[in-house]
């Protein structure tokens, strides 16, 4: 595709509900990242995939957060039993991968999650 | 631990004036440094990056930044602001992994 796409763009959930956020990376990109951006803050790293392997999940705030990329392309970030502090914009980024930490990450528009 | 500090959450300039957005980093190893711009309802877009070599790097839309190791800084500048530069700007560092550590951002307003 032309860029990284995310769906839905906006999600409102009642506290305690489960949500699933989808990321479609740029075709052929090996690396995929999830970030959380709270209001007025910079993005914070959540997790990182290389193909289907989840190589780093150190940023996931609790065991209610789960991410997967089963076929090495589309990724889903799932949040169970949502709480008000989960309200944020969730950003997905992808990169070609393979050349290390100077790979450019291309960001999607984000999913704005509001938990009531 | 690595961190990024952006001084000034809001910066206002007149059209045609110099833009200076400040970024300081903390890292125990040579960092890779990035500036991203975020327009409303859009994803982050890379403006420029420093990896190794020349410390003055030029990016898109007339922006440039200079890596100063002695000052642990990577300030973003543009000689003449344009109305279309109004956006939020994020400085980020990548140390030993691919993940980026971002600052809290600076919102740039440009007045006519």
């Amino acid at each position: 595709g032309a860029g990284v796409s995310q769906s839905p763009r906006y999600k409102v959930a009642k506290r305690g509900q489960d949500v699933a956020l989808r990321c479609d990376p740029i075709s052929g990109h090996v690396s995929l990242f999830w970030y959380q951006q709270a209001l007025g803050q910079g993005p914070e790293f959540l997790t990182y995939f290389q193909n289907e392997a989840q190589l780093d999940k150190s940023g996931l705030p609790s065991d209610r957060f789960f991410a997967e990329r089963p076929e090495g392309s589309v990724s889903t970030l799932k949040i169970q039993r949502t709480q008000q502090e989960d309200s944020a914009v969730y950003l997905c980024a992808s990169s070609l991968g393979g050349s290390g930490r100077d790979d450019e990450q291309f960001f999607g528009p984000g999913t704005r999650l509001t938990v009531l | 631990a690595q961190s990024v500090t952006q001084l000034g959450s809001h910066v206002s300039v007149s059209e045609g004036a110099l833009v200076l957005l400040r970024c300081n980093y903390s890292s125990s190893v040579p960092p890779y440094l990035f500036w991203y711009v975020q327009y409303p309802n859009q994803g982050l877009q890379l403006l420029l990056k420093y990896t190794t070599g020349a410390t003055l790097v030029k990016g898109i839309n007339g922006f440039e930044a200079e890596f100063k190791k002695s000052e642990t800084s990577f300030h973003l500048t543009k000689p003449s602001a344009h109305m279309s530069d109004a956006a939020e700007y994020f400085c980020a560092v990548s140390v030993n992994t691919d993940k980026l550590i971002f600052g809290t951002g600076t919102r740039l307003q440009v007045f006519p």
Side-chain angles (χ1 to χ4, degrees):
Chain A
V4 178
S5 60
Q6 293 185 246
S7 61
R9 291 292 312 277
Y10 302 91
K11 177 68 178 178
V12 178
K14 292 183 179 179
R15 189 164 56 92
Q17 280 186 330
D18 297 349
V19 299
L21 312 179
R22 177 187 170 107
C23 172
D24 284 82
I26 294 173
S27 179
H29 276 195
V30 168
S31 299
L32 186 144
F33 305 81
W34 284 99
Y35 294 86
Q36 180 190 58
Q37 186 175 17
L39 189 63
Q41 302 296 316
E44 291 194 1
F45 171 80
L46 292 177
T47 188
Y48 159 58
F49 290 86
Q50 192 171 90
N51 295 306
E52 68 278 6
Q54 190 174 19
L55 299 186
D56 187 345
K57 54 182 181 178
S58 62
L60 295 176
S62 76
D63 58 7
R64 296 186 296 104
F65 286 72
F66 172 77
E68 60 183 4
R69 194 186 185 198
E71 298 179 358
S73 178
V74 171
S75 177
T76 303
L77 176 67
K78 297 179 179 178
I79 309 174
Q80 297 177 325
R81 305 181 304 281
T82 53
Q83 300 178 6
Q84 285 190 320
E85 59 262 33
D86 299 335
S87 296
V89 175
Y90 290 85
L91 299 171
C92 177
S94 70
S95 69
L96 271 173
S99 63
R101 58 189 176 108
D102 63 343
D103 250 356
E104 179 177 351
Q105 294 186 24
F106 294 84
F107 283 81
T111 294
R112 182 178 296 278
L113 172 65
T114 302
V115 182
L116 303 177
Chain B
Q2 300 77 40
S3 66
V4 173
T5 301
Q6 290 185 242
L7 293 176
S9 58
H10 289 82
V11 170
S12 298
V13 299
S14 298
E15 193 173 20
L18 171 73
V19 175
L20 171 61
L21 305 182
R22 299 180 185 274
C23 173
N24 288 86
Y25 68 91
S26 171
S27 173
S28 57
V29 298
Y32 284 7
L33 295 158
F34 305 79
W35 274 100
Y36 281 84
V37 61
Q38 187 175 39
Y39 298 101
N41 296 317
Q42 293 186 30
L44 291 158
Q45 180 183 6
L46 181 67
L47 275 178
L48 49 80
K49 66 180 180 183
Y50 167 79
T51 55
T52 58
T55 56
L56 181 64
V57 292
K58 296 185 184 298
I60 61 172
N61 302 339
F63 284 93
E64 61 182 39
E66 185 171 11
F67 170 60
K68 292 187 177 180
K69 184 179 178 181
S70 61
E71 299 177 7
T72 60
S73 70
F74 190 58
H75 301 330
L76 182 71
T77 60
K78 182 174 180 178
S80 176
H82 192 272
M83 296 295 290
S84 61
D85 294 327
E88 184 126 29
Y89 293 79
F90 291 93
C91 182
V93 63
S94 169
V95 183
N96 290 323
T97 66
D98 294 341
K99 68 184 179 187
L100 296 172
I101 298 168
F102 288 88
T104 52
T106 298
R107 183 167 299 278
L108 175 66
Q109 286 186 303
V110 182
F111 293 102

